[in-house]
Amino acid sequence: MRIDGKLLDLAREVPEGTTPEPVTIDSDDGLSILRHSAAHVLAQAVQKTNPDARLGIGPPIQDGFYYDFDLEEKFSPEDFKGLQQEMQRIIKSGQRFVRRVVTEEQAREELADEPYKLELIGLKGPNAEKAAEGASVEVGAGELTIYDNVDPKSGDTVWKDLCQGPHLPNTRMIANGFSLMRVAGAYWRGKTDRPQLQRIYGTAWPTKDELRAYITRLEEAAKRDHRKLGRELDLFSFPEEVGSGLSLWHPKGAVTRGEMEQHARKRHIERGYTYVYTPHITKSDLFETSGHLQTYGEGIWPPILMDEERDDEGNITKRGAEYYLKPMNCPMHILIYKDRARSYRELPLRFAENGTVYRNEFSGALHGLTRVRGFTQDDAHLFVRPDQIEEEVTNVLGFVIDLLKDFGLTEFRLELSKRDDEKEKWIGDEGVWTTATDALRRVAQSSGLEFVEEEGEAAFYGPKIDLKITDAIGRSWQLSTVQLDFNLPERFGLEYTAADGSKQRPIMIHRALFGSIERFFAILLEHYAGAFPVWLAPVQAVGIPVAQDFAGYLEDVAAKLRMRGVRIEVDHSDERMQKKIRNHTMQKVPFQIIAGATDVEAGSVSFRYRDGRQDNGIPVDEAIERIVEAIETKAHV
């Protein structure tokens, strides 16, 4: 149940004067509670079958859960059958999850054999999530609690865990909609100098049918994995010689990326944006002023010492300066604004840049193009007057949605991210944050889109609206972000001259449309399973002669298409025609143009599409218009 916005176990007492709201198991909160309870059952099963296993952390995650274990014996997928049987036995026994408030001393005494739990005890409040990702499910703000798994027949506690809860009333509610998925390594508290634990991932759903549907989605997702498609379609690579999380774009991938960037650039200019360019590296002073070094230090690459001078004996005669690869573009855009005096008549001022940034991601977190160390943001920063905020954010949101529709995305929803309760996680004045959050809320409400509010998910300098999309197989992705920022203009002393001649502070709007171009490319690649719409396809058409004698005829057709801006190749290889058709079908080329003696005589071609359909005897001029129209209308054939 939920009381005054807080999730509580059903067994908790309802305070007088309050009205509990039901939380159903198929809601987002209900699914998290189901999965967190399943994680406890997994941990209990592991310790039943492996008494020497020591417990790490076991939070719910998107579509599932995990639990970390310290055990000398290595888990393998072959162990999952036995673990799942033990989990099913625990589930069928109907053990009750019983919450118990304890002191730190009691917790340390009861969990004396769990060294990782002992580390977490006392890390309450703002230190909880710092302890490790997911640690807030164990220790958070407020009371320290242990959850006992109680046998319903004997009343005995058969297992316990340090946990904030809440949980299901009993294990039977987990039913049979769960499965263990995989095992991986995970450093304790995410630090490479700490022990590496074994992380078992699982999933849990209200019913067996929903579990089967999820497994089917995973199988489809594996076929669409952008890393696999990137290799098969020769789009990009990650050579060891370059380094982890740094991508090389091959010609075909670069073509599609270029089309994405050029289309977005054209639309931005139409909307009154001006493009700027900034360097990849800057002195530390800039990020000290912005606050990034203080609040985002772990995500920034180590500094490079420059301009230091020494004498012949090695003594420093001139102190150097520390330079950083930029993790953000915004401080440099601020300096462009600040370079000269600004008038209220210039606002809103909209700077855009495809700026490459660098983040110091852990190697274990890297994942193809979706999580990299060097990536390009389609970044924009807008400087507005206070009276322009809502209108400009509304325009930005409408622009974002229109542009994403150009790429074939149609399902959108919003998430309003608010500041954390802990002051050290954000900067600025509380009243300013409230004003900014209220403005974003009104914009979200007026958009007509579904939206939710999330506590503690804002950037350190201001609240934000995140736009999420649903792809072709039902997965949710976060893309565009619109963030209000009253704080960086204050830190950098930004001003404009108002109509009355006074100096006023502008408000800054941070806005990324794709998020990162690399990640957006990966999402589109998986959304379309590699079969891009014609306008984005690296090769839009390929000519396939029935015999080599007809290759010259197709070259003439290709020349006409190139004059219309079509990316076309003619296959002159020695392969048989059917093999050529198969090869280019595997490469997901939208149009295959086939010509033989009959076509040459009639001045026509035959079309073969990616799905195997074929249209024969199409006059050349009509064929050209058909392809050009598909490109111009952004059709998917």
Side-chain angles (χ1 to χ4, degrees), residues 285-301:
D285 304 26
L286 185 62
F287 291 120
E288 286 172 357
T289 302
S290 70
H292 285 98
L293 274 179
Q294 299 92 311
T295 59
Y296 195 71
E298 290 185 359
I300 300 178
W301 282 51

Side-chain angles (χ1 to χ4, degrees), residues 461-479:
Y461 47 73
K464 61 178 180 171
I465 290 178
D466 291 325
L467 182 72
K468 298 193 173 184
I469 62 104
T470 301
D471 71 7
I473 58 174
R475 294 174 301 180
S476 178
W477 299 90
Q478 179 182 314
L479 286 181

Side-chain angles (χ1 to χ4, degrees), residues 278-312:
T278 60
H280 293 222
I281 191 169
T282 181
K283 288 196 295 186
S284 61
D285 304 26
L286 185 62
F287 291 120
E288 286 172 357
T289 302
S290 70
H292 285 98
L293 274 179
Q294 299 92 311
T295 59
Y296 195 71
E298 290 185 359
I300 300 178
W301 282 51
I304 303 167
L305 183 64
M306 298 290 291
D307 304 325
E308 182 180 272
E309 295 181 7
R310 294 175 180 264
D311 60 22
D312 293 340

Side-chain angles (χ1 to χ4, degrees), residues 273 382 391-401 482 511:
Y273 288 76
L382 294 72
E391 180 181 3
E392 195 64 18
V393 172
T394 300
N395 290 340
V396 167
L397 196 57
F399 174 39
V400 166
I401 291 171
V482 183
R511 193 238 64 196

